[in-house]
Each structure stands twice: as C-alpha cells, then as structure tokens.
Amino acid sequence: MLTSPLISVIVIAHDRQGGLEGCLQSILCQSFKDVEVVVVADESPECRPAVVEAFARSDERVSLVRLDGVVGVGRVRNAGADRATGRYLLFLDTDHILWDGTLQAMADRLRTCDEPDVLLLGHTRLHKGRSWPGAAAELLAGLDSRPFDPADRPELLGAPAYVWDRLIRRDFWAAQALSFPEGLHEEVAVVHRALLAADRVAALKWDCVQIRRRHTQHPAGSPGATHFDVFDRYEESFGLLGEYARTEAAPFLFTRMVRHHLFLLHLSGCLARSERPQFFRRASEQYQRFVPGGYERPQGREGVKFQLVAGGGYGAFQSARIPQLARGVLSRP
C-alpha cells in the first residue's frame, strides 16, 4: 500500500476452528477499503500461512508476518503491531468476524470524534447458535455520545479486558510503549494501561465484532503459560492505579479481578483438580491484599462467592459448588 491506511487489523493466524477464511472475508469484503490486514503466523501446526498467502495474492491490503518457532499470543500480537502502518490498531483472532458496514461506522466515528486515543466497540458472542450481547453492553450503552476523559468513567475498569473490542491509536500505542506480555491473560494489563493513560476515549454503540469461539482458551495458547499468570496481570493493573493516581477506580477493578478469578475456578477443564486449591489460595490472597476500604460486595449468590474467596476456605467454597454441579449434571439431556 502506498499510503498509510486508517485502520490496521492484526489477525493471529492460529486457526483451531477453521475460521480464518471467514474472518478475513468479513474484513476485506466491506465497502470501506482504507484498511490493511496484517496476519501473523508462527510455526505452530494450527497456523495456515498458505491460506493467508492466497488472500495476499488477490488483495494487496493483506500481508503475512512469519515468526520462527512456536511463540505465545503476546509475541504474535506485538509482531503485528510492529508491522502495522495504520493510524489505528484492531486486534482480532480467527474466530472473530466483523459485521457488514462496521469498518465504515468506525471510520465515521473516528472522524466525528476527532480521532480519540481509544474507540470502544460493541460485540456479541455466538454460543449454541444464539447471539448473546457482550458483557459490557450495558456499560457501553450508558456512555456519552461525545468523547470523554476516561478518568470521569472509572467503571470502565470493571469491564472485561478484551483488546478486540476497541481501536487503539497507533501513535498512542507507541508513545505509551504498550506491548503484550508473555503468558496467558495477556490483554488485562495492556487494556487497563491504555484506559488509564488515554486522554480521550469515545464509543461506537454498534455490535461490530462477533466472537465464535467454541473453546474458552485463546486459540493461540502460549508455550509454558498457565492460568496462574492471571495473578501477575492484576498485580500490574493495581500497580497502574497507583502510578496514574486513580484510586477511585479500585472498587471497579477489584470486582473485575474477583469475577475473573471465579470464572476460571468455575470453568470446566480450565484448572486441573490438583491446581484448584492453590489457585483458590492465590485468589484469596489477592482479595485480601487489594480489597478497597469500605468495599461492598455484589448482592445475591455472587456476593456469597466473593465472601467465600475473602474467607480463604477452599473446603467451604467446594461445598458451595456441589449443588451447582449436581444441577448441571441432572439438567443434561
């Protein structure tokens, strides 16, 4: 491409579910053309560079970056960001698609908002043939129509930290020296740092991206990584609150952290049985260290789970889970 595009879409080529073609087509077939697609492939057998090369031969907006060895998702994404030339970065995986017209909507929103540091996007999740709203849909709907200072919306730190439901200005990415770490849950601190460092954020209240993942874990994986990496991610994120003097956001980030820990504890196949007591202990330790003064736990059953984590009793937590597990078994066809 002779000129820098408005948007660089960075796609990880790991294709466990066979969605690579659909992902690329959903980008390239849109009416908005001022976009480049940077696909990054390492030497994992789940990568399909031949598919990317075929797209590149027919569309000059597509380029392929090859990495030696099998590396983690963080290094793959960083390589894509380094190669990108667009004014904005959008990170996707092969199990994401963009709905028709969304690139044009993004471009229009960037123009009317005078190019904010971050543009938040709506998304949906396809599960068992049904499209579900994203976890932050209600929060997104309540945001201002005009660009805003994220310091005025601390609740943004309570939303799931996804990097694929937002555009990030590339100059801002470089100025903040943003990069993904090695290991799992690599998005967490990157998304939080971007929100804390940004001066201007805007929202596009469209469902732009749909995730069609059949497996909860990221398709690229990360060699040598474990779900225990999540504790380091939130250590960094709470450190960022102090660095940016944003202690008013602590209750929102704390709630997000505990929900993340509970999600991993409840997710079938995520943690080995032998790992669960240690993971629960680490979650309880982080709870006790980072709980803000005067914190009010969520209401209802979720609040009970928070209380169990706060108490640190794994046996009590397991006992509380047994009726839920039994109901799950009995409800199966």
Side-chain angles (χ1 to χ4, degrees):
M1 302 180 68
L2 298 179
T3 59
S4 296
L6 177 62
I7 299 172
S8 293
V9 184
I10 298 160
V11 179
I12 298 177
H14 292 72
D15 193 22
R16 183 181 301 172
Q17 296 181 183
L20 179 58
E21 291 94 334
C23 175
L24 296 178
Q25 288 169 355
S26 76
I27 302 165
L28 299 170
C29 292
Q30 301 211 14
S31 59
F32 182 81
K33 301 300 182 184
D34 192 17
V35 61
E36 70 172 354
V37 182
V38 180
V39 187
V40 187
D42 63 9
E43 295 181 348
S44 167
E46 294 179 350
C47 286
R48 302 169 64 199
V51 172
V52 183
E53 290 170 342
F55 273 90
R57 285 193 294 269
S58 61
D59 195 321
E60 65 176 3
R61 295 175 297 167
V62 180
S63 62
L64 173 65
V65 178
R66 290 179 176 268
L67 301 179
D68 294 333
V70 178
V71 302
V73 59
R75 285 182 58 187
V76 170
R77 283 181 170 149
N78 290 336
D82 290 343
R83 174 67 65 89
T85 63
R87 297 207 299 278
Y88 280 84
L89 305 177
L90 173 62
F91 296 91
L92 296 182
D93 304 324
T94 57
D95 47 18
H96 294 132
I97 65 164
L98 293 183
W99 293 119
D100 290 345
T102 55
L103 286 175
Q104 184 64 61
M106 294 176 197
D108 293 343
R109 188 71 175 133
L110 291 173
R111 183 179 63 255
T112 58
C113 293
D114 195 23
E115 299 200 352
D117 296 324
V118 179
L119 179 67
L120 303 176
L121 312 171
H123 76 269
T124 58
R125 181 179 296 270
L126 185 68
H127 179 64
K128 294 184 177 180
R130 180 177 174 184
S131 182
W132 298 83
E138 185 175 345
L139 176 60
L140 191 69
L143 293 176
D144 298 334
S145 59
R146 296 171 295 178
F148 56 89
D149 183 344
D152 297 330
R153 303 303 301 258
E155 65 270 27
L156 290 175
L157 273 294
Y162 300 138
V163 76
W164 42 265
D165 66 355
R166 64 202 65 210
L167 296 178
I168 302 176
R169 188 164 56 83
R170 187 164 63 89
D171 286 348
F172 170 75
W173 178 275
Q176 298 300 322
L178 294 172
S179 66
F180 296 97
E182 299 284 346
L184 296 181
H185 309 290
E186 76 293 334
E187 298 169 293
V188 172
V190 173
V191 167
H192 293 157
R193 181 179 286 277
L195 285 173
L196 291 167
D199 292 322
R200 296 173 68 253
V201 172
L204 174 58
K205 300 178 184 181
W206 277 40
D207 290 331
C208 298
V209 183
Q210 182 173 79
I211 180 170
R212 298 180 168 184
R213 187 169 301 166
R214 292 193 294 268
H215 304 284
T216 301
Q217 296 188 34
H218 193 280
S222 198
T226 76
H227 286 290
F228 284 80
D229 295 336
V230 73
F231 299 112
D232 291 336
R233 305 295 178 249
Y234 283 101
E235 290 282 349
E236 182 177 352
S237 291
F238 274 96
L240 291 172
L241 291 187
E243 180 182 334
Y244 287 94
R246 292 282 304 280
T247 55
E248 76 284 355
F252 300 99
L253 179 60
F254 180 80
T255 300
R256 169 47 43 196
M257 178 190 75
V258 180
R259 284 174 172 166
H260 199 162
H261 292 164
L262 286 168
F263 173 77
L264 296 175
L265 280 164
H266 285 290
L267 183 63
S268 176
C270 178
L271 296 165
R273 179 176 297 183
S274 60
E275 295 176 324
R276 291 176 54 78
Q278 183 185 2
F279 189 96
F280 182 87
R281 178 180 58 79
R282 293 281 301 277
S284 181
E285 289 172 353
Q286 279 204 328
Y287 189 110
Q288 295 163 15
R289 185 162 67 257
F290 291 128
V291 60
Y295 178 74
E296 295 184 7
R297 290 190 293 268
Q299 298 296 312
R301 181 178 296 175
E302 185 180 35
V304 173
K305 295 177 182 178
F306 273 53
Q307 186 175 5
L308 290 169
V309 175
Y314 180 68
F317 178 77
Q318 278 294 89
S319 296
R321 287 186 73 236
I322 290 173
Q324 299 175 36
L325 294 173
R327 284 195 297 270
V329 172
L330 292 173
S331 65
R332 291 174 188 168

